[in-house]
Amino acid sequence: MPSYSLQIIPLSGLDFIGARPSDFQVQFGSGAGWNWGTYKFSYRSDDLLTVGVNDEDDRLQDDPANPYWSGGNFPAHNQVISDSVRIDGTTYPSGLRIEDEYELWVRDQDGTKYRLVAVSVDSDPDNPYSGSTVIGYTFDGDWPPEETKLTILRGSGEDGQEMHPPPPPPCFTTGTLITTLHGEIAIEDLREGDHVLTLDNGPQAIRLILSRCLSARDLLRYPNLCPIRITAGALGPRTPREDLLVSPQHRMLVASRISARMFDTPEVLVAAKHLIGAPGIVMDRDSAESGAGVTYYHILFDSHQLLLANGAPTESLYTGPEALKHLPVDSRTEILTLFPDLARHPGIAPRPARKLIPGKRAKVMTQRHCKNHRAFLAPRLDA
């Protein structure tokens, strides 16, 4: 059964400007007669939650158990929450049916339109006619930047709608040079069992390599999956040695006086997307606009490690609970087979190689580096 993850904005993560609509949370019936109005709101990215979905196809649909009742043109199938999740004080158990309940078209102040999907769960998993409760919202396609003021243009309460959730992003891109016992080797040429030089523990054998290809169409539909380009020297002098492209969630090592003061530790790991705004670090849309697409790669060791990619210190795959949720079922199964302790203790995160900095604080850190014109890496790591 294919599995995917949805990034959900909980109801509490929506900031309405003025009146808050009372009919956002509970829907009974088609909703065709709702008064959508022209409500204005924004969302906060720090409130985003990940909801795993077990699905028998790759689309989040309305009324999957009763498509003919709702007018959907697809076979009846299971589409349920894969792991229990707590949202706005309520715990929703695994196995609860999850749906694309209704959709809204919204517009920002520049006129750009976005498609917002209300995600709901059935009140009674054994009774598909019991009504649905909206637990949050996700964007189908482009996501506006957080805190963007959005205005509702129109809504669709019609039955049978669907969205295609984005595939999960792994780490490095094709052509990335990884430092090994035998010099630098392109990521796509590495094999399980090869020894990579790590910053803390010397040569370490690769236990597993995973890859995922995203087409240009995927990236155009979900631009938040486009790689982050870290240009040569953007982290510090000669670091990286040449441009490095990684997935948005992939973490880079930061070691500076600013980060040490903020986090009370000499070195930390920060997601590449939270370094955007610093000179030379941008979202790279070339793979989408050129039609080439992108292939992402994970490298897994016995434990979380620091390694060098194009000469820049960065991380291997971290197998924390949230990271595992973003992997396809077959990849997750392979990892849990290699490391059964992760399956026996699913709620316990393994020890990271360095402190992991969450988004809001990471963005503040980046702003301070920019304001003070400081490099992300101290001189001893730039050599």
Side-chain angles (χ1 to χ4, degrees), residues 168-172 178 187 192 196 198 205-211 247 249-252 269 296-307 314-328 330-336 338-339 342 349-354 356:
C171 295
F172 302 105
I178 305 298
I187 182 76
E192 293 167 16
V196 170
T198 66
I206 298 174
R207 295 295 303 276
L208 186 66
I209 297 177
L210 302 171
S211 65
S247 62
Q249 295 285 1
H250 189 64
R251 300 181 187 93
M252 305 302 298
L269 285 166
Y296 284 121
Y297 295 86
H298 276 308
I299 301 178
L300 180 64
F301 299 99
D302 282 328
S303 59
H304 194 217
Q305 298 289 340
L306 296 180
L307 51 88
T314 185
E315 67 171 343
S316 65
L317 174 61
Y318 178 64
T319 53
E322 288 302 314
L324 291 177
K325 283 182 181 180
H326 283 79
L327 292 171
D330 54 351
S331 298
R332 187 162 63 240
T333 300
E334 195 168 0
I335 290 173
L336 295 179
L338 281 173
F339 303 98
L342 295 175
R351 183 175 181 176
R354 296 293 187 275
L356 309 180

Side-chain angles (χ1 to χ4, degrees), residues 199-200 252-270 305-307 313-314 352-357 365 369 376-382:
L199 272 63
D200 298 325
M252 305 302 298
L253 188 72
V254 174
S256 69
R257 290 183 178 179
I258 292 174
S259 62
R261 285 196 301 268
M262 287 185 66
F263 308 119
D264 196 29
T265 186
E267 299 177 344
V268 296
L269 285 166
V270 177
Q305 298 289 340
L306 296 180
L307 51 88
T314 185
R354 296 293 187 275
K355 187 174 184 178
L356 309 180
I357 306 304
M365 181 209 70
H369 280 82
F376 288 113
L377 290 174
R380 69 182 184 85
L381 288 173
D382 297 334

